[in-house]
Amino acid sequence: MKEKIVELLKNSRGYISGEEISRQLNVSRTAVWKYINSIKEEGYEIESSSRKGYMLLNCPDILTPSEVVPLLRTKYIGREMLHFDSIDSTNLAARARAQEGCKEGLVVTAEEQTAGKGRLGRRWTSPKSSSITFSVVLRPAIKPSEASGITLVMGMAVCRAIKRFTTGEAGIKWPNDIILNRKKICGILTEMSGEIDAVNFIIVGAGINVNAGEFPGEIKDIATSMLIETGKITSRKEILASILKEFEKLYDSFKERGLSSMIDEYKSLSVTLGNQVKVLSSVDSFEGKAVDITDDGLLVVRLENGAERKVISGDVSVRGVNGYI
Ligand code: BTN
C-alpha cells in the first residue's frame, strides 16, 4: 500500500487530497494518514495541508522498488524487487524466494543486514543505509562447473558502474573483490542450489560501500567507500540501477556465448594479473606471479620454479592491493 501511495504522490503535480488517495486505493482516510506518517519515516519529505492534502517535496535515497524501478533500464533484472528495512541477509531472503519458485531476475535489497554473509564463511557488515546490499535470483541453463563465472560477471558489472560514478582507479581483485584506489569497495558472494549435473538456481549478492564516512580500526586500511574516495555523497539508487543494467547485458552474453566472450574485458579490469600473489586454498597455500585468467575464469599462477598452477577458488592476496606489502 505504501508503494502505491508513493506512486500517487509522485504522479500528482502539486497536492493530492487524502480523500482522493483513499478513493483511488479503497482505504479509509485514517489509514491514508497512518501510511503517510510511515512514508515520512522512510525519509520522504511530504507537505501536509488540512485544506489541500499532501504534496511530495523530496524522495529519499532508499533502495525500495518505488525508488529503484523508475530508474531501471533492464528487461527482467530487478523488474520484481523486494526491499527490507532490516533483514538477516539478502542472499538468504533471495534463496527463500527462489525455493518458493520466484522468477529469474528478482532483486532483494536491504537497508541493513543483521547477519550479512561474506565469502569463506566470513561475516559482512555495513552501517545502515550507507551501503548497497542486494541479491539477484538467477536460473541459467548452465553446468554447475560454470556457475562461478556469475561472480566474475557481477564483478564486471559493479566495476563498470563504479567507474561511471568516480574518476578513481577501479578494478577487480580475482575473483570478485572490487577495488577502488587499492582498497576494497565491494564484495560479491555467489551461492548455488543444484545437483551434480544441473543448476537449480543461483543467488548472486553484492555489498558496495557507498556513503560510509569511515571504517572501524581493523578494516580501515583495507576497506574504502565512494564517499571516502570522492568526498561526495553518491546516490545509492542510481548506482544500483546502473549495476543492474550492466549486469543484465553481461549476463545475457554469458548465457549466450559463455565467459570467454567477455574474458578480455575482465582481464583488462584485473588488479591481480601481472602481480605477485599469495594464494590460500582449501588444501594448501603458495606464492607466485598471476600470469593469466583462463577462458573459464581460473587464475593461473606461475611459481618460482616456473611451474604453473590454476586456482579455482580461494583467498588471493595481491601485492600492493588491500594492505599486502
Ligand atoms: C565477501 O567479500 O566476502 C563477499 C561479501 C558479500 C556481501 C553481500 S551483501 C549482499 C549479499 N547478502 C549477503 O548476506 N552477502 C552478500
Side-chain angles (χ1 to χ4, degrees):
M1 184 55 67
K2 280 201 284 186
E3 302 279 315
K4 285 190 181 146
I5 295 181
V6 169
E7 207 179 309
L8 282 183
L9 289 168
K10 280 187 175 179
N11 291 340
S12 58
R13 297 215 173 90
Y15 281 95
I16 178 165
S17 68
E19 196 184 333
E20 181 63 19
I21 299 175
S22 105
R23 196 186 57 74
Q24 288 206 28
L25 300 178
N26 204 18
V27 288
S28 70
R29 294 278 301 273
T30 323
V32 170
W33 179 79
K34 281 190 186 151
Y35 284 125
I36 292 276
N37 282 342
S38 146
I39 290 166
K40 280 183 182 167
E41 270 165 30
E42 285 183 356
Y44 286 87
E45 275 178 54
I46 298 168
E47 199 164 270
S48 315
S49 145
S50 50
R51 251 180 351 102
K52 294 184 275 185
Y54 304 102
M55 180 164 69
L56 184 61
L57 300 178
N58 239 319
C59 299
D61 186 25
I62 51 174
L63 305 178
T64 53
S66 299
E67 293 307 309
V68 178
V69 173
L71 304 176
L72 285 182
R73 300 286 173 269
T74 57
K75 294 187 295 292
Y76 61 99
I77 300 288
R79 289 290 157 184
E80 261 180 59
M81 267 189 79
L82 205 55
H83 170 263
F84 294 92
D85 186 52
S86 180
I87 185 97
D88 47 4
S89 146
T90 55
N91 265 34
L92 285 174
R95 171 180 285 269
R97 297 310 178 292
Q99 273 157 349
E100 287 162 9
C102 77
K103 277 203 221 141
E104 168 158 271
L106 173 79
V107 169
V108 179
T109 55
E111 298 303 310
E112 172 187 63
Q113 295 186 120
T114 52
K117 293 163 70 171
R119 285 179 69 225
L120 309 168
R122 296 178 187 137
R123 285 289 292 270
W124 179 264
T125 52
S126 40
K128 187 165 186 176
S129 296
S130 77
S131 66
I132 298 172
T133 47
F134 75 99
S135 304
V136 191
V137 175
L138 303 171
R139 299 186 182 277
I142 57 172
K143 294 190 224 117
S145 58
E146 293 167 317
S148 59
I150 300 285
T151 301
L152 277 62
V153 172
M154 181 57 87
M156 285 169 70
V158 174
C159 200
R160 279 184 183 181
I162 285 181
K163 276 178 177 287
R164 197 153 294 145
F165 286 84
T166 161
T167 50
E169 252 182 73
I172 308 174
K173 183 168 86 67
W174 187 92
N176 56 0
D177 285 354
I178 308 304
I179 302 294
L180 184 59
N181 299 337
R182 299 179 172 266
K183 291 184 179 177
K184 180 163 168 172
I185 190 162
C186 162
I188 296 166
L189 178 68
T190 305
E191 297 180 289
M192 185 183 77
S193 152
E195 286 141 43
I196 294 279
D197 52 0
V199 170
N200 185 8
F201 60 79
I202 289 173
I203 308 295
V204 57
I208 303 136
N209 304 325
V210 182
N211 293 325
E214 57 180 3
F215 289 95
E218 68 276 21
I219 55 168
K220 208 159 112 206
D221 296 336
I222 56 173
T224 194
S225 70
M226 299 282 286
L227 175 60
I228 294 170
E229 298 305 319
T230 64
K232 287 185 300 202
I233 296 286
T234 312
S235 159
R236 294 184 305 144
K237 56 190 177 188
E238 280 177 23
I239 301 181
L240 178 59
S242 175
I243 293 172
L244 297 180
K245 179 176 118 197
E246 296 302 337
F247 179 74
E248 186 177 275
K249 282 194 275 182
L250 288 159
Y251 177 60
D252 279 347
S253 5
F254 171 77
K255 284 189 290 185
E256 278 162 37
R257 296 184 286 278
L259 194 64
S260 59
S261 66
M262 59 195 72
I263 204 72
D264 285 346
E265 181 181 344
Y266 182 86
K267 286 186 196 180
S268 75
L269 295 172
S270 175
V271 299
T272 308
L273 274 185
N275 287 314
Q276 195 67 18
V277 294
K278 267 192 215 167
V279 181
L280 195 62
S281 82
S282 48
V283 281
D284 63 351
S285 61
F286 55 93
E287 288 187 35
K289 186 176 175 184
V291 289
D292 200 9
I293 292 163
T294 64
D295 275 1
D296 41 6
L298 308 188
L299 181 70
V300 183
V301 178
R302 185 173 299 144
L303 310 181
E304 216 166 82
N305 64 10
E308 288 186 354
R309 279 186 66 168
K310 284 185 186 161
V311 188
I312 301 170
S313 69
D315 214 14
V316 177
S317 316
V318 180
R319 180 162 291 165
V321 177
N322 249 10
Y324 165 34
I325 315 292

